[in-house]
Amino acid sequence: MTEKITREVFDHMVALAALELSEDDAVYLLKELNSQLQAIEELAAIPLDESVELAAHGVPYTPEISSAVREDIPTPFANPEEIVAGAPETKDGFFVVPDIPTEDLT
Amino acid sequence: MELADLKAHELAALVASRQVSAVEVLEATLARIEAVDGSPGKLEPDADALSQTDKVHAFITPTVERARAQAEAVDKKIAAGEIPGPLTGVPFTVKDIFTVKGTPSTAASKILSNFVAPYSATPVARMEDAGGVMLGKVNLDEFTYGSSNESSAFQPHPRNPWNPSRVTGGSSGGSAAAVAAGEGALSLGTDTAGSVRQPAAFCGVVGLKPTYGRVSRYGLIAFGSSLDCPGPVARDVRDVAMMLNVIAGRDERDHTAVTVPVPDYTAGLEEGVKGLRIGLSPDFFKISFFDHQTGEIEEQPLPDEIKAAVERAADLLSDIGARIVENIPMPHTKYGIPTYFVISRVESASNLHRYDGVKYGYRSDGKVVDLNQMYRRSRGEGFGKQPKLRILMGMYVSAAQYSEQYYQRALKVRSLIRSDFERAYDPQGDHRLDALLTPTTPTPAFPIGDVYGDSVLMQYADQLTVTANHAGIPGISLPGGLDSEGLPLGIQLLGSDFSEATLLRIGRAYEMATENDPWRQQKPQVLANL
């Protein structure tokens, strides 16, 4: 089986996806990706003429069944502390993160 | 019969008429959970938990005290002469992909393992407002990405109550297993490719995937946003109808929840099938799967027992007045899985970018040099293999240079899949169907460990259910008998947009036609020695 997704392409995607992988995981994932891609290749054989439209979803959203756009009125969450409490690290209601990498442009 | 085994509509009637209290129903159900469930799923299970191979393990987080408070509140209302709603005193479970205020809402993933939801999902809130008693959060495949529940980060994963060496199916495996084992009469699941219907078929219960937009997705942790449908899992058709009455309808918090009026789905249930046109399609009686050796798609007929269950259902429905229409062409059915491999991956990749270890969820506690490394490490440690696979596949097939070839193409094939159904149901067309009758799954519940790890083969378990998600149409899986090994077989009805009432009516007619069948008296293995 030809490996359509090479290790180089794979490593590039892993970096873009912000994932740190063990070597075992990388080997498994690359194998499964190529295997899935082979299954997907079946789509290439389907004849599609110009008239076939893209379907972003199945059920057509006609005005008759869609909610009217509501007024843009902000409603504050009753207990924002509860939301902030879920964060791994906070200080004075702010999220705390490690150093943000910066580039000196001067 | 024990309270834990009664149907939801029976329990609601008993509680509302003060023949039993909501607390009594709850305690009976908790006793059942104690007897059959074993240890709930954990990130780091001990050896004892993993050795309980005869238990169901439906739960991640039982919420016993919360449930007791709810049951007491229901009883108090009844004492004051008020009936809270149609689910009065009915214990139910929630797939842990929904937020429920104040409970861990984990998506069965390490990355959300410490997330306590600050709000409740709309369908859950509606069930609680209707008098339902929420028992806890049940297990699933991580982020719903699987068809067996083996991929949950919370182990032990659920086991099939009919034979604990078999999978429950998935991803709503905890839901289907809990309902089958008497651990709550109802469960709220989700269906993105068959995730309500396939485990319902494997566990011998009823599962409905409503039309896309029929039920609000507010509070549902997103997977494939154009495919995800919350749906009921129950022991009979009436219970599914009753639950759908409660959860369906518009929601100002989800603009995709449609304004189509919600009928009373329980009203016409027993009107029969006289005059209804029910189709059979040869395209649903074969399976195709990807052969790693040859790199080709192989086609095989379905196992005889599955075919026979559907044919018998057709005969019974014909006997009571339905018109069975054979040879309905559904030529794009076989493209359901390859199309799904593209669309669902693009949508899940997009939905998974939000988990960053900053605002909520897991953050790696290792030492990092900067924010970027923190992202990479938290996501690397927090996501299991299946979410990683979906992120990477979704990125690849939607990348600028490949989008035309894969993603745009898949969206067009989706149109073709939808047009198969439109032709079948067109009231002016050749077939004019009210429903299509098919098997739910290509096989009964497979042995634990047999398929897990092969992400392609696992996906093909959904091939008879996934086209309904592409098309947005409703589908229901009904118990259709047991195979020679005593495993449940599922039959499926697929309808046109918003035709849930018709599917439920056909389903109820089938239930009535088979109510004296010997298999209806069989109980799941885990209940045998109680």
Side-chain angles (χ1 to χ4, degrees), chain A residues 17 28 32 35 41 43 46 53 61 65 96 99, chain B residues 256 259 292 363 371 379 406 409 411 415 453 455:
Chain A
Y28 169 81
E32 292 298 310
S35 183
E41 292 300 344
L43 296 178
I46 305 171
E53 290 186 19
Y61 272 82
I65 68 166
V96 178
D99 276 351
Chain B
T256 62
T259 59
H292 289 299
R363 178 187 287 189
L371 181 63
R379 288 163 61 84
Y406 298 120
R409 194 168 184 88
L411 293 177
S415 282
S455 67

mmCIF file with all atom_site columns, all heavy atoms in Angstrom, chain A residues 17 28 32 35 41 43 46 53 61 65 96 99, chain B residues 256 259 292 363 371 379 406 409 411 415 453 455:
data_model
loop_
_atom_site.group_PDB
_atom_site.id
_atom_site.type_symbol
_atom_site.label_atom_id
_atom_site.label_alt_id
_atom_site.label_comp_id
_atom_site.label_asym_id
_atom_site.label_entity_id
_atom_site.label_seq_id
_atom_site.pdbx_PDB_ins_code
_atom_site.Cartn_x
_atom_site.Cartn_y
_atom_site.Cartn_z
_atom_site.occupancy
_atom_site.B_iso_or_equiv
_atom_site.pdbx_formal_charge
_atom_site.auth_seq_id
_atom_site.auth_comp_id
_atom_site.auth_asym_id
_atom_site.auth_atom_id
_atom_site.pdbx_PDB_model_num
ATOM 1   N N   . ALA A 1 17  ? -1.549  21.014 14.508 1.00 0.00 ? 17  ALA A N   1
ATOM 2   C CA  . ALA A 1 17  ? -2.641  20.606 15.398 1.00 0.00 ? 17  ALA A CA  1
ATOM 3   C C   . ALA A 1 17  ? -2.285  20.790 16.870 1.00 0.00 ? 17  ALA A C   1
ATOM 4   O O   . ALA A 1 17  ? -3.116  20.535 17.736 1.00 0.00 ? 17  ALA A O   1
ATOM 5   C CB  . ALA A 1 17  ? -2.995  19.144 15.134 1.00 0.00 ? 17  ALA A CB  1
ATOM 6   N N   . TYR A 1 28  ? 1.111   4.498  15.030 1.00 0.00 ? 28  TYR A N   1
ATOM 7   C CA  . TYR A 1 28  ? -0.281  4.022  14.905 1.00 0.00 ? 28  TYR A CA  1
ATOM 8   C C   . TYR A 1 28  ? -1.126  5.017  14.107 1.00 0.00 ? 28  TYR A C   1
ATOM 9   O O   . TYR A 1 28  ? -1.847  4.639  13.179 1.00 0.00 ? 28  TYR A O   1
ATOM 10  C CB  . TYR A 1 28  ? -0.885  3.809  16.301 1.00 0.00 ? 28  TYR A CB  1
ATOM 11  C CG  . TYR A 1 28  ? -2.385  3.571  16.295 1.00 0.00 ? 28  TYR A CG  1
ATOM 12  C CD1 . TYR A 1 28  ? -2.911  2.310  15.998 1.00 0.00 ? 28  TYR A CD1 1
ATOM 13  C CD2 . TYR A 1 28  ? -3.281  4.601  16.575 1.00 0.00 ? 28  TYR A CD2 1
ATOM 14  C CE1 . TYR A 1 28  ? -4.285  2.085  15.974 1.00 0.00 ? 28  TYR A CE1 1
ATOM 15  C CE2 . TYR A 1 28  ? -4.662  4.393  16.556 1.00 0.00 ? 28  TYR A CE2 1
ATOM 16  C CZ  . TYR A 1 28  ? -5.152  3.135  16.253 1.00 0.00 ? 28  TYR A CZ  1
ATOM 17  O OH  . TYR A 1 28  ? -6.518  2.926  16.238 1.00 0.00 ? 28  TYR A OH  1
ATOM 18  N N   . GLU A 1 32  ? -3.127  4.448  10.535 1.00 0.00 ? 32  GLU A N   1
ATOM 19  C CA  . GLU A 1 32  ? -4.591  4.542  10.446 1.00 0.00 ? 32  GLU A CA  1
ATOM 20  C C   . GLU A 1 32  ? -5.018  5.645  9.473  1.00 0.00 ? 32  GLU A C   1
ATOM 21  O O   . GLU A 1 32  ? -5.997  5.494  8.750  1.00 0.00 ? 32  GLU A O   1
ATOM 22  C CB  . GLU A 1 32  ? -5.193  4.802  11.834 1.00 0.00 ? 32  GLU A CB  1
ATOM 23  C CG  . GLU A 1 32  ? -5.054  3.635  12.793 1.00 0.00 ? 32  GLU A CG  1
ATOM 24  C CD  . GLU A 1 32  ? -5.772  2.370  12.314 1.00 0.00 ? 32  GLU A CD  1
ATOM 25  O OE1 . GLU A 1 32  ? -6.958  2.458  11.956 1.00 0.00 ? 32  GLU A OE1 1
ATOM 26  O OE2 . GLU A 1 32  ? -5.120  1.309  12.273 1.00 0.00 ? 32  GLU A OE2 1
ATOM 27  N N   . SER A 1 35  ? -4.745  4.362  6.040  1.00 0.00 ? 35  SER A N   1
ATOM 28  C CA  . SER A 1 35  ? -5.763  3.352  5.829  1.00 0.00 ? 35  SER A CA  1
ATOM 29  C C   . SER A 1 35  ? -7.135  4.020  5.607  1.00 0.00 ? 35  SER A C   1
ATOM 30  O O   . SER A 1 35  ? -7.889  3.645  4.701  1.00 0.00 ? 35  SER A O   1
ATOM 31  C CB  . SER A 1 35  ? -5.736  2.482  7.076  1.00 0.00 ? 35  SER A CB  1
ATOM 32  O OG  . SER A 1 35  ? -6.585  1.447  7.002  1.00 0.00 ? 35  SER A OG  1
ATOM 33  N N   . GLU A 1 41  ? -10.735 7.208  -0.782 1.00 0.00 ? 41  GLU A N   1
ATOM 34  C CA  . GLU A 1 41  ? -10.456 7.301  -2.224 1.00 0.00 ? 41  GLU A CA  1
ATOM 35  C C   . GLU A 1 41  ? -11.617 6.785  -3.073 1.00 0.00 ? 41  GLU A C   1
ATOM 36  O O   . GLU A 1 41  ? -11.747 7.128  -4.238 1.00 0.00 ? 41  GLU A O   1
ATOM 37  C CB  . GLU A 1 41  ? -9.172  6.537  -2.590 1.00 0.00 ? 41  GLU A CB  1
ATOM 38  C CG  . GLU A 1 41  ? -7.888  7.131  -2.043 1.00 0.00 ? 41  GLU A CG  1
ATOM 39  C CD  . GLU A 1 41  ? -7.592  8.551  -2.509 1.00 0.00 ? 41  GLU A CD  1
ATOM 40  O OE1 . GLU A 1 41  ? -8.204  8.990  -3.494 1.00 0.00 ? 41  GLU A OE1 1
ATOM 41  O OE2 . GLU A 1 41  ? -6.764  9.214  -1.858 1.00 0.00 ? 41  GLU A OE2 1
ATOM 42  N N   . LEU A 1 43  ? -14.479 7.704  -3.035 1.00 0.00 ? 43  LEU A N   1
ATOM 43  C CA  . LEU A 1 43  ? -15.306 8.838  -3.468 1.00 0.00 ? 43  LEU A CA  1
ATOM 44  C C   . LEU A 1 43  ? -14.879 9.357  -4.836 1.00 0.00 ? 43  LEU A C   1
ATOM 45  O O   . LEU A 1 43  ? -15.693 9.902  -5.586 1.00 0.00 ? 43  LEU A O   1
ATOM 46  C CB  . LEU A 1 43  ? -15.219 9.986  -2.450 1.00 0.00 ? 43  LEU A CB  1
ATOM 47  C CG  . LEU A 1 43  ? -15.767 9.723  -1.052 1.00 0.00 ? 43  LEU A CG  1
ATOM 48  C CD1 . LEU A 1 43  ? -15.561 10.947 -0.180 1.00 0.00 ? 43  LEU A CD1 1
ATOM 49  C CD2 . LEU A 1 43  ? -17.243 9.367  -1.115 1.00 0.00 ? 43  LEU A CD2 1
ATOM 50  N N   . ILE A 1 46  ? -16.885 8.334  -7.985 1.00 0.00 ? 46  ILE A N   1
ATOM 51  C CA  . ILE A 1 46  ? -18.308 8.646  -8.157 1.00 0.00 ? 46  ILE A CA  1
ATOM 52  C C   . ILE A 1 46  ? -18.464 9.752  -9.206 1.00 0.00 ? 46  ILE A C   1
ATOM 53  O O   . ILE A 1 46  ? -17.874 10.820 -9.066 1.00 0.00 ? 46  ILE A O   1
ATOM 54  C CB  . ILE A 1 46  ? -18.929 9.114  -6.828 1.00 0.00 ? 46  ILE A CB  1
ATOM 55  C CG1 . ILE A 1 46  ? -18.676 8.070  -5.746 1.00 0.00 ? 46  ILE A CG1 1
ATOM 56  C CG2 . ILE A 1 46  ? -20.425 9.376  -6.991 1.00 0.00 ? 46  ILE A CG2 1
ATOM 57  C CD1 . ILE A 1 46  ? -19.061 8.527  -4.359 1.00 0.00 ? 46  ILE A CD1 1
ATOM 58  N N   . GLU A 1 53  ? -25.079 19.819 -6.073 1.00 0.00 ? 53  GLU A N   1
ATOM 59  C CA  . GLU A 1 53  ? -24.697 20.912 -5.177 1.00 0.00 ? 53  GLU A CA  1
ATOM 60  C C   . GLU A 1 53  ? -24.028 20.387 -3.905 1.00 0.00 ? 53  GLU A C   1
ATOM 61  O O   . GLU A 1 53  ? -24.216 19.229 -3.526 1.00 0.00 ? 53  GLU A O   1
ATOM 62  C CB  . GLU A 1 53  ? -25.940 21.719 -4.821 1.00 0.00 ? 53  GLU A CB  1
ATOM 63  C CG  . GLU A 1 53  ? -26.436 22.506 -6.016 1.00 0.00 ? 53  GLU A CG  1
ATOM 64  C CD  . GLU A 1 53  ? -27.589 23.423 -5.665 1.00 0.00 ? 53  GLU A CD  1
ATOM 65  O OE1 . GLU A 1 53  ? -27.769 23.722 -4.477 1.00 0.00 ? 53  GLU A OE1 1
ATOM 66  O OE2 . GLU A 1 53  ? -28.286 23.824 -6.608 1.00 0.00 ? 53  GLU A OE2 1
ATOM 67  N N   . TYR A 1 61  ? -32.822 24.258 5.451  1.00 0.00 ? 61  TYR A N   1
ATOM 68  C CA  . TYR A 1 61  ? -33.331 25.245 6.417  1.00 0.00 ? 61  TYR A CA  1
ATOM 69  C C   . TYR A 1 61  ? -34.123 26.331 5.695  1.00 0.00 ? 61  TYR A C   1
ATOM 70  O O   . TYR A 1 61  ? -33.580 27.338 5.294  1.00 0.00 ? 61  TYR A O   1
ATOM 71  C CB  . TYR A 1 61  ? -32.193 25.840 7.241  1.00 0.00 ? 61  TYR A CB  1
ATOM 72  C CG  . TYR A 1 61  ? -31.926 25.011 8.462  1.00 0.00 ? 61  TYR A CG  1
ATOM 73  C CD1 . TYR A 1 61  ? -31.138 23.874 8.378  1.00 0.00 ? 61  TYR A CD1 1
ATOM 74  C CD2 . TYR A 1 61  ? -32.514 25.306 9.678  1.00 0.00 ? 61  TYR A CD2 1
ATOM 75  C CE1 . TYR A 1 61  ? -30.932 23.064 9.479  1.00 0.00 ? 61  TYR A CE1 1
ATOM 76  C CE2 . TYR A 1 61  ? -32.318 24.506 10.794 1.00 0.00 ? 61  TYR A CE2 1
ATOM 77  C CZ  . TYR A 1 61  ? -31.520 23.391 10.689 1.00 0.00 ? 61  TYR A CZ  1
ATOM 78  O OH  . TYR A 1 61  ? -31.329 22.593 11.782 1.00 0.00 ? 61  TYR A OH  1
ATOM 79  N N   . ILE A 1 65  ? -39.170 26.952 8.689  1.00 0.00 ? 65  ILE A N   1
ATOM 80  C CA  . ILE A 1 65  ? -38.829 26.116 9.852  1.00 0.00 ? 65  ILE A CA  1
ATOM 81  C C   . ILE A 1 65  ? -37.688 26.710 10.684 1.00 0.00 ? 65  ILE A C   1
ATOM 82  O O   . ILE A 1 65  ? -37.283 26.127 11.679 1.00 0.00 ? 65  ILE A O   1
ATOM 83  C CB  . ILE A 1 65  ? -38.485 24.660 9.450  1.00 0.00 ? 65  ILE A CB  1
ATOM 84  C CG1 . ILE A 1 65  ? -37.166 24.577 8.647  1.00 0.00 ? 65  ILE A CG1 1
ATOM 85  C CG2 . ILE A 1 65  ? -39.617 24.024 8.656  1.00 0.00 ? 65  ILE A CG2 1
ATOM 86  C CD1 . ILE A 1 65  ? -36.630 23.160 8.537  1.00 0.00 ? 65  ILE A CD1 1
ATOM 87  N N   . VAL A 1 96  ? -4.490  32.377 33.793 1.00 0.00 ? 96  VAL A N   1
ATOM 88  C CA  . VAL A 1 96  ? -3.023  32.467 33.820 1.00 0.00 ? 96  VAL A CA  1
ATOM 89  C C   . VAL A 1 96  ? -2.446  31.424 32.866 1.00 0.00 ? 96  VAL A C   1
ATOM 90  O O   . VAL A 1 96  ? -2.851  30.264 32.904 1.00 0.00 ? 96  VAL A O   1
ATOM 91  C CB  . VAL A 1 96  ? -2.491  32.229 35.255 1.00 0.00 ? 96  VAL A CB  1
ATOM 92  C CG1 . VAL A 1 96  ? -0.963  32.266 35.283 1.00 0.00 ? 96  VAL A CG1 1
ATOM 93  C CG2 . VAL A 1 96  ? -3.069  33.261 36.210 1.00 0.00 ? 96  VAL A CG2 1
ATOM 94  N N   . ASP A 1 99  ? 4.561   31.607 29.681 1.00 0.00 ? 99  ASP A N   1
ATOM 95  C CA  . ASP A 1 99  ? 5.077   32.682 28.822 1.00 0.00 ? 99  ASP A CA  1
ATOM 96  C C   . ASP A 1 99  ? 4.544   32.569 27.401 1.00 0.00 ? 99  ASP A C   1
ATOM 97  O O   . ASP A 1 99  ? 4.560   31.496 26.801 1.00 0.00 ? 99  ASP A O   1
ATOM 98  C CB  . ASP A 1 99  ? 6.610   32.594 28.761 1.00 0.00 ? 99  ASP A CB  1
ATOM 99  C CG  . ASP A 1 99  ? 7.205   33.294 29.955 1.00 0.00 ? 99  ASP A CG  1
ATOM 100 O OD1 . ASP A 1 99  ? 6.436   33.959 30.693 1.00 0.00 ? 99  ASP A OD1 1
ATOM 101 O OD2 . ASP A 1 99  ? 8.430   33.146 30.171 1.00 0.00 ? 99  ASP A OD2 1
ATOM 102 N N   . THR B 2 256 ? -30.188 26.197 15.277 1.00 0.00 ? 256 THR B N   1
ATOM 103 C CA  . THR B 2 256 ? -30.485 25.100 14.345 1.00 0.00 ? 256 THR B CA  1
ATOM 104 C C   . THR B 2 256 ? -31.666 24.253 14.829 1.00 0.00 ? 256 THR B C   1
ATOM 105 O O   . THR B 2 256 ? -32.092 23.338 14.117 1.00 0.00 ? 256 THR B O   1
ATOM 106 C CB  . THR B 2 256 ? -29.259 24.176 14.141 1.00 0.00 ? 256 THR B CB  1
ATOM 107 O OG1 . THR B 2 256 ? -28.918 23.573 15.391 1.00 0.00 ? 256 THR B OG1 1
ATOM 108 C CG2 . THR B 2 256 ? -28.066 24.942 13.604 1.00 0.00 ? 256 THR B CG2 1
ATOM 109 N N   . THR B 2 259 ? -38.392 25.362 14.090 1.00 0.00 ? 259 THR B N   1
ATOM 110 C CA  . THR B 2 259 ? -39.649 25.831 14.681 1.00 0.00 ? 259 THR B CA  1
ATOM 111 C C   . THR B 2 259 ? -40.833 24.925 14.326 1.00 0.00 ? 259 THR B C   1
ATOM 112 O O   . THR B 2 259 ? -41.963 25.240 14.661 1.00 0.00 ? 259 THR B O   1
ATOM 113 C CB  . THR B 2 259 ? -39.965 27.257 14.183 1.00 0.00 ? 259 THR B CB  1
ATOM 114 O OG1 . THR B 2 259 ? -40.054 27.209 12.749 1.00 0.00 ? 259 THR B OG1 1
ATOM 115 C CG2 . THR B 2 259 ? -38.890 28.239 14.589 1.00 0.00 ? 259 THR B CG2 1
ATOM 116 N N   . HIS B 2 292 ? -7.909  -4.432 3.854  1.00 0.00 ? 292 HIS B N   1
ATOM 117 C CA  . HIS B 2 292 ? -6.541  -3.902 3.940  1.00 0.00 ? 292 HIS B CA  1
ATOM 118 C C   . HIS B 2 292 ? -5.582  -4.614 2.982  1.00 0.00 ? 292 HIS B C   1
ATOM 119 O O   . HIS B 2 292 ? -4.647  -4.021 2.472  1.00 0.00 ? 292 HIS B O   1
ATOM 120 C CB  . HIS B 2 292 ? -5.990  -4.063 5.359  1.00 0.00 ? 292 HIS B CB  1
ATOM 121 C CG  . HIS B 2 292 ? -6.644  -3.157 6.344  1.00 0.00 ? 292 HIS B CG  1
ATOM 122 N ND1 . HIS B 2 292 ? -6.597  -1.797 6.235  1.00 0.00 ? 292 HIS B ND1 1
ATOM 123 C CD2 . HIS B 2 292 ? -7.366  -3.423 7.451  1.00 0.00 ? 292 HIS B CD2 1
ATOM 124 C CE1 . HIS B 2 292 ? -7.260  -1.272 7.247  1.00 0.00 ? 292 HIS B CE1 1
ATOM 125 N NE2 . HIS B 2 292 ? -7.740  -2.222 7.989  1.00 0.00 ? 292 HIS B NE2 1
ATOM 126 N N   . ARG B 2 363 ? -4.891  20.510 31.936 1.00 0.00 ? 363 ARG B N   1
ATOM 127 C CA  . ARG B 2 363 ? -3.619  21.138 31.550 1.00 0.00 ? 363 ARG B CA  1
ATOM 128 C C   . ARG B 2 363 ? -2.488  20.246 32.054 1.00 0.00 ? 363 ARG B C   1
ATOM 129 O O   . ARG B 2 363 ? -2.511  19.817 33.213 1.00 0.00 ? 363 ARG B O   1
ATOM 130 C CB  . ARG B 2 363 ? -3.488  22.529 32.160 1.00 0.00 ? 363 ARG B CB  1
ATOM 131 C CG  . ARG B 2 363 ? -2.154  23.178 31.810 1.00 0.00 ? 363 ARG B CG  1
ATOM 132 C CD  . ARG B 2 363 ? -1.919  24.495 32.541 1.00 0.00 ? 363 ARG B CD  1
ATOM 133 N NE  . ARG B 2 363 ? -2.747  25.562 32.014 1.00 0.00 ? 363 ARG B NE  1
ATOM 134 C CZ  . ARG B 2 363 ? -2.597  26.855 32.365 1.00 0.00 ? 363 ARG B CZ  1
ATOM 135 N NH1 . ARG B 2 363 ? -1.663  27.204 33.239 1.00 0.00 ? 363 ARG B NH1 1
ATOM 136 N NH2 . ARG B 2 363 ? -3.389  27.770 31.866 1.00 0.00 ? 363 ARG B NH2 1
ATOM 137 N N   . LEU B 2 371 ? 3.844   28.990 26.198 1.00 0.00 ? 371 LEU B N   1
ATOM 138 C CA  . LEU B 2 371 ? 2.434   28.683 25.972 1.00 0.00 ? 371 LEU B CA  1
ATOM 139 C C   . LEU B 2 371 ? 2.254   27.599 24.900 1.00 0.00 ? 371 LEU B C   1
ATOM 140 O O   . LEU B 2 371 ? 1.444   26.688 25.050 1.00 0.00 ? 371 LEU B O   1
ATOM 141 C CB  . LEU B 2 371 ? 1.704   29.969 25.547 1.00 0.00 ? 371 LEU B CB  1
ATOM 142 C CG  . LEU B 2 371 ? 0.205   29.852 25.277 1.00 0.00 ? 371 LEU B CG  1
ATOM 143 C CD1 . LEU B 2 371 ? -0.562  29.453 26.532 1.00 0.00 ? 371 LEU B CD1 1
ATOM 144 C CD2 . LEU B 2 371 ? -0.346  31.178 24.741 1.00 0.00 ? 371 LEU B CD2 1
ATOM 145 N N   . ARG B 2 379 ? -2.717  18.888 25.023 1.00 0.00 ? 379 ARG B N   1
ATOM 146 C CA  . ARG B 2 379 ? -3.535  18.200 24.025 1.00 0.00 ? 379 ARG B CA  1
ATOM 147 C C   . ARG B 2 379 ? -2.993  16.792 23.751 1.00 0.00 ? 379 ARG B C   1
ATOM 148 O O   . ARG B 2 379 ? -3.753  15.849 23.564 1.00 0.00 ? 379 ARG B O   1
ATOM 149 C CB  . ARG B 2 379 ? -3.591  19.030 22.740 1.00 0.00 ? 379 ARG B CB  1
ATOM 150 C CG  . ARG B 2 379 ? -4.449  20.291 22.906 1.00 0.00 ? 379 ARG B CG  1
ATOM 151 C CD  . ARG B 2 379 ? -4.189  21.306 21.803 1.00 0.00 ? 379 ARG B CD  1
ATOM 152 N NE  . ARG B 2 379 ? -4.492  20.828 20.466 1.00 0.00 ? 379 ARG B NE  1
ATOM 153 C CZ  . ARG B 2 379 ? -5.701  20.835 19.904 1.00 0.00 ? 379 ARG B CZ  1
ATOM 154 N NH1 . ARG B 2 379 ? -6.744  21.291 20.573 1.00 0.00 ? 379 ARG B NH1 1
ATOM 155 N NH2 . ARG B 2 379 ? -5.879  20.401 18.672 1.00 0.00 ? 379 ARG B NH2 1
ATOM 156 N N   . TYR B 2 406 ? -11.390 16.148 -1.668 1.00 0.00 ? 406 TYR B N   1
ATOM 157 C CA  . TYR B 2 406 ? -12.003 15.379 -0.590 1.00 0.00 ? 406 TYR B CA  1
ATOM 158 C C   . TYR B 2 406 ? -13.238 16.073 0.000  1.00 0.00 ? 406 TYR B C   1
ATOM 159 O O   . TYR B 2 406 ? -14.349 15.570 -0.115 1.00 0.00 ? 406 TYR B O   1
ATOM 160 C CB  . TYR B 2 406 ? -10.981 15.106 0.521  1.00 0.00 ? 406 TYR B CB  1
ATOM 161 C CG  . TYR B 2 406 ? -9.799  14.275 0.087  1.00 0.00 ? 406 TYR B CG  1
ATOM 162 C CD1 . TYR B 2 406 ? -8.507  14.760 0.164  1.00 0.00 ? 406 TYR B CD1 1
ATOM 163 C CD2 . TYR B 2 406 ? -9.991  12.974 -0.393 1.00 0.00 ? 406 TYR B CD2 1
ATOM 164 C CE1 . TYR B 2 406 ? -7.419  13.988 -0.227 1.00 0.00 ? 406 TYR B CE1 1
ATOM 165 C CE2 . TYR B 2 406 ? -8.908  12.191 -0.792 1.00 0.00 ? 406 TYR B CE2 1
ATOM 166 C CZ  . TYR B 2 406 ? -7.625  12.705 -0.702 1.00 0.00 ? 406 TYR B CZ  1
ATOM 167 O OH  . TYR B 2 406 ? -6.569  11.931 -1.089 1.00 0.00 ? 406 TYR B OH  1
ATOM 168 N N   . ARG B 2 409 ? -15.948 17.369 -2.450 1.00 0.00 ? 409 ARG B N   1
ATOM 169 C CA  . ARG B 2 409 ? -16.507 16.188 -3.104 1.00 0.00 ? 409 ARG B CA  1
ATOM 170 C C   . ARG B 2 409 ? -17.455 15.431 -2.168 1.00 0.00 ? 409 ARG B C   1
ATOM 171 O O   . ARG B 2 409 ? -18.540 15.007 -2.558 1.00 0.00 ? 409 ARG B O   1
ATOM 172 C CB  . ARG B 2 409 ? -15.348 15.281 -3.559 1.00 0.00 ? 409 ARG B CB  1
ATOM 173 C CG  . ARG B 2 409 ? -15.776 14.235 -4.523 1.00 0.00 ? 409 ARG B CG  1
ATOM 174 C CD  . ARG B 2 409 ? -14.625 13.516 -5.196 1.00 0.00 ? 409 ARG B CD  1
ATOM 175 N NE  . ARG B 2 409 ? -15.194 12.595 -6.163 1.00 0.00 ? 409 ARG B NE  1
ATOM 176 C CZ  . ARG B 2 409 ? -15.485 12.916 -7.412 1.00 0.00 ? 409 ARG B CZ  1
ATOM 177 N NH1 . ARG B 2 409 ? -15.195 14.103 -7.872 1.00 0.00 ? 409 ARG B NH1 1
ATOM 178 N NH2 . ARG B 2 409 ? -16.059 12.052 -8.213 1.00 0.00 ? 409 ARG B NH2 1
ATOM 179 N N   . LEU B 2 411 ? -19.129 16.642 0.282  1.00 0.00 ? 411 LEU B N   1
ATOM 180 C CA  . LEU B 2 411 ? -20.377 17.414 0.467  1.00 0.00 ? 411 LEU B CA  1
ATOM 181 C C   . LEU B 2 411 ? -21.320 17.228 -0.719 1.00 0.00 ? 411 LEU B C   1
ATOM 182 O O   . LEU B 2 411 ? -22.536 17.266 -0.576 1.00 0.00 ? 411 LEU B O   1
ATOM 183 C CB  . LEU B 2 411 ? -20.066 18.900 0.674  1.00 0.00 ? 411 LEU B CB  1
ATOM 184 C CG  . LEU B 2 411 ? -19.344 19.262 1.976  1.00 0.00 ? 411 LEU B CG  1
ATOM 185 C CD1 . LEU B 2 411 ? -19.042 20.762 2.017  1.00 0.00 ? 411 LEU B CD1 1
ATOM 186 C CD2 . LEU B 2 411 ? -20.166 18.876 3.206  1.00 0.00 ? 411 LEU B CD2 1
ATOM 187 N N   . SER B 2 415 ? -25.190 15.252 -0.994 1.00 0.00 ? 415 SER B N   1
ATOM 188 C CA  . SER B 2 415 ? -26.401 15.621 -1.748 1.00 0.00 ? 415 SER B CA  1
ATOM 189 C C   . SER B 2 415 ? -27.005 14.403 -2.435 1.00 0.00 ? 415 SER B C   1
ATOM 190 O O   . SER B 2 415 ? -28.228 14.242 -2.482 1.00 0.00 ? 415 SER B O   1
ATOM 191 C CB  . SER B 2 415 ? -26.074 16.641 -2.847 1.00 0.00 ? 415 SER B CB  1
ATOM 192 O OG  . SER B 2 415 ? -25.934 17.909 -2.308 1.00 0.00 ? 415 SER B OG  1
ATOM 193 N N   . GLY B 2 453 ? -9.138  -0.722 17.593 1.00 0.00 ? 453 GLY B N   1
ATOM 194 C CA  . GLY B 2 453 ? -7.773  -0.468 17.125 1.00 0.00 ? 453 GLY B CA  1
ATOM 195 C C   . GLY B 2 453 ? -7.758  -0.283 15.616 1.00 0.00 ? 453 GLY B C   1
ATOM 196 O O   . GLY B 2 453 ? -6.969  0.481  15.086 1.00 0.00 ? 453 GLY B O   1
ATOM 197 N N   . SER B 2 455 ? -9.412  1.440  13.045 1.00 0.00 ? 455 SER B N   1
ATOM 198 C CA  . SER B 2 455 ? -10.368 2.550  12.988 1.00 0.00 ? 455 SER B CA  1
ATOM 199 C C   . SER B 2 455 ? -11.209 2.516  11.724 1.00 0.00 ? 455 SER B C   1
ATOM 200 O O   . SER B 2 455 ? -12.289 3.082  11.674 1.00 0.00 ? 455 SER B O   1
ATOM 201 C CB  . SER B 2 455 ? -9.628  3.880  13.100 1.00 0.00 ? 455 SER B CB  1
ATOM 202 O OG  . SER B 2 455 ? -8.816  4.091  11.961 1.00 0.00 ? 455 SER B OG  1
#
